[in-house]
């Protein structure tokens, strides 16, 4: 059983994989991506495929954008040595967040077997539009929180990113023209991992329908929709349904921690929720290319306890979009 980082780039990951497969055989290797063990990541498939109200509109005709946001409040703490040689792209995007993206975007697996699931995910990895010299400017933002360079074990003058925001496209029929936005960062003042699906508006004056799959700290599903403002008026206002799974089931269910669940699956020989070599290979190719195109540019500075650099907002604003935030009045 191996946990990430699986290599440092495609070349080192390939060497590692060859060695491992030569000694153990592909069928004996389990590569843990602990995000695949999280309750609400495992729930994505059920939400997508067991609900026609979502299944049938899960495409670019109805969906304007998909946002995968993984913000952390902590800095690098005691892990500066590891982190400084990695950075947000390799630490979170290449593995956890691309895995989530592939489950959000995949076709319904043809068969409910590990191979069926992995093939469906792999098709998404394969369809990611590759970055080039031109597109990199409007698809990637890297940032570094102020004070990072003074953290223990971080190299003085380090250019390692502690924040990354990306705009990706999946070149297939389902997703033609719908951007997938990803952002992740340390010291952002909040700990919140959410997947937001922003639907197209029927007309410009109304707010969009928004589905949010809440991964942590709250586990749940949020749906924003429109109603008539109560009273003698025809105004249309947004409202919400907000299912808090971690609130409702708290006494009935002991959700196994992600690692506990994955280790259990490994002991039982269940291969569904582990990353596969071909997925790792493709995602390294993708991330290596981003790093190469980024070159030695300086990451944008951001103040600790803010949601990353301003450039990450501009990344969406160029398309008339913004990072979705649950309106304050809806907060519990
Ligand atoms: C790890 C990263 O894989 O995931 C860390 O190396 C990150 O930098 C962590 O903080 C986040 O995991 P979780 O389960 O706390 O969201």
């Amino acid at each position: 059983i191996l946990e990430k980082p699986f290599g440092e780039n495609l070349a080192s990951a390939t060497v590692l994989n060859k060695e491992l497969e030569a000694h153990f055989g592909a069928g004996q290797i389990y590569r843990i991506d602990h995000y695949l063990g999280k309750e609400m990541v495992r729930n994505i498939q059920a939400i997508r495929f067991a609900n026609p109200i979502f299944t049938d509109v899960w495409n670019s005709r109805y969906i304007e954008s998909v946002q995968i946001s993984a913000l952390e409040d902590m800095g690098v703490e005691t892990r500066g040595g590891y982190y400084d040689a990695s950075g947000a792209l390799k630490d979170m995007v290449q593995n956890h967040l691309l895995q989530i993206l592939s489950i959000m975007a995949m076709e319904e697996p043809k068969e409910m077997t590990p191979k069926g699931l992995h093939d469906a995910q792999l098709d998404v990895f394969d369809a990611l539009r590759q970055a080039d010299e031109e597109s990199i400017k409007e698809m990637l933002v890297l940032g570094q929180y102020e004070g990072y360079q003074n953290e223990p074990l971080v190299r003085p003058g380090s250019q390692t990113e502690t924040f990354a925001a990306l705009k990706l496209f999946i070149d297939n029929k389902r997703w033609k023209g719908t951007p997938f936005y990803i952002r992740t960062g340390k010291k952002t003042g909040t700990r919140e991992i959410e997947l937001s699906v922003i639907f197209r508006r029927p007309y410009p004056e109304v707010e969009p329908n928004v589905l949010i799959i809440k991964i942590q700290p709250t586990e749940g599903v949020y749906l924003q929709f429109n109603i008539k403002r109560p009273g003698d008026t025809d105004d249309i206002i947004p409202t919400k349904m907000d299912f808090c799974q971690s609130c409702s089931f708290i006494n009935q269910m002991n959700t196994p921690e992600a690692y506990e669940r994955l280790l259990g699956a490994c002991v039982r020989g269940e291969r569904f929720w582990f990353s596969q070599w071909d997925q790792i290979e493709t995602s390294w190719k993708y991330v290596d290319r981003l790093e190469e195109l980024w070159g030695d540019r300086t990451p944008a500075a951001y103040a600790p306890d803010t949601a990353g650099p301003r450039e990450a907002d501009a990344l969406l604003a160029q398309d008339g979009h913004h990072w979705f935030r649950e309106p304050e009045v809806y907060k519990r």
Side-chain angles (χ1 to χ4, degrees):
I1 307 173
L2 296 129
E3 158 144 65
K4 67 162 269 273
F6 197 84
E8 291 166 4
N9 48 33
L10 177 61
S12 60
T14 307
V15 172
L16 176 62
N17 192 57
K18 266 201 188 128
E19 288 261 317
L20 287 166
E21 291 202 353
H23 287 89
F24 296 102
Q28 292 296 319
I29 301 170
Y30 291 77
R31 300 175 193 85
I32 285 194
D33 183 312
H34 81 284
Y35 269 52
L36 295 179
K38 288 186 188 283
E39 175 62 32
M40 292 306 291
V41 173
R42 298 274 292 265
N43 216 330
I44 298 171
Q45 256 182 299
I47 293 168
R48 282 194 54 191
F49 299 120
N51 297 295
I53 58 164
F54 300 133
T55 315
D56 293 352
V57 293
W58 207 264
N59 56 55
S60 60
R61 179 161 177 214
Y62 296 103
I63 295 178
E64 184 181 83
S65 72
V66 178
Q67 305 183 2
I68 298 174
S69 175
L71 300 179
E72 295 186 273
D73 49 358
M74 295 202 311
V76 292
E77 314 292 311
T78 54
R79 298 168 72 229
Y82 151 74
Y83 194 88
D84 203 42
S86 172
L89 272 179
K90 294 182 178 183
D91 186 53
M92 290 288 288
V93 177
Q94 182 268 335
N95 34 75
H96 306 320
L97 302 183
L98 285 179
Q99 282 287 341
I100 290 182
L101 176 134
S102 69
I103 303 167
M104 288 293 278
M106 71 185 181
E107 300 302 311
E108 184 162 12
K110 291 199 183 76
E111 45 180 56
M112 240 0 253
T113 58
K115 183 169 184 325
L117 175 63
H118 297 148
D119 286 353
Q121 285 182 269
L122 187 61
D123 286 344
V124 175
F125 283 102
D126 284 340
L128 282 176
R129 187 181 303 168
Q130 293 302 316
D132 60 30
E133 303 279 354
E134 249 333 283
S135 64
I136 193 77
K137 297 179 207 139
E138 53 195 42
M139 64 163 292
L140 180 64
V141 170
L142 299 183
Q144 187 187 77
Y145 64 80
E146 288 159 3
Y148 169 74
Q149 297 181 16
N150 303 325
E151 298 277 21
L153 303 177
V154 168
R155 292 161 302 160
S158 164
Q159 297 295 301
T160 298
E161 79 283 3
T162 59
F163 181 100
L166 292 87
K167 172 165 106 172
L168 298 92
F169 284 99
I170 297 166
D171 283 329
N172 63 18
K173 200 168 153 215
R174 180 184 291 273
W175 294 116
K176 195 167 190 287
T178 294
F180 281 68
Y181 300 112
I182 291 182
R183 73 173 165 178
T184 183
K186 303 268 184 209
K187 277 255 166 118
T188 61
T190 184
R191 174 162 166 76
E192 194 178 78
I193 304 187
E194 291 187 346
L195 319 177
S196 306
V197 180
I198 318 289
F199 289 88
R200 295 191 192 281
R201 303 158 204 245
Y203 34 94
E205 301 82 49
V206 299
E207 293 297 318
N209 289 156
V210 179
L211 169 74
I212 306 182
I213 301 177
K214 297 184 181 184
I215 312 283
Q216 65 193 40
T218 308
E219 293 175 349
V221 181
Y222 164 105
L223 183 64
Q224 174 175 294
F225 59 104
N226 291 312
I227 56 162
K228 187 188 85 58
R229 186 193 294 280
D232 188 15
T233 167
D234 291 321
D235 283 1
I236 292 182
I237 54 165
T239 188
K240 60 154 183 183
M241 290 189 219
D242 198 356
F243 167 58
C244 173
Q245 173 154 305
S246 40
C247 309
S248 326
F249 288 104
I250 203 137
N251 296 321
Q252 301 159 32
M253 184 174 91
N254 173 15
T255 304
E257 283 295 318
Y259 284 100
E260 184 185 338
R261 180 181 290 211
L262 291 171
L263 291 172
C266 177
V267 169
R268 292 189 299 273
E270 294 167 8
R271 302 195 66 87
F272 268 105
W273 295 101
F274 293 89
S275 21
Q276 298 304 297
W277 167 244
D278 42 15
Q279 298 168 343
I280 293 176
E281 189 179 30
T282 322
S283 56
W284 267 131
K285 247 184 232 163
Y286 188 80
V287 167
D288 279 0
R289 180 76 178 132
L290 293 182
E291 298 243 343
E292 183 193 330
L293 290 165
W294 179 266
D296 54 10
R297 280 192 281 160
T298 307
Y302 61 98
D305 301 331
T306 61
R310 237 175 281 128
E311 288 81 346
D313 297 333
L315 185 75
L316 275 65
Q318 61 185 339
D319 303 323
H321 299 160
H322 60 270
W323 295 102
F324 184 78
R325 288 215 57 80
E326 207 177 308
E328 274 305 316
V329 358
Y330 293 170
K331 290 269 185 198
R332 283 163 191 286

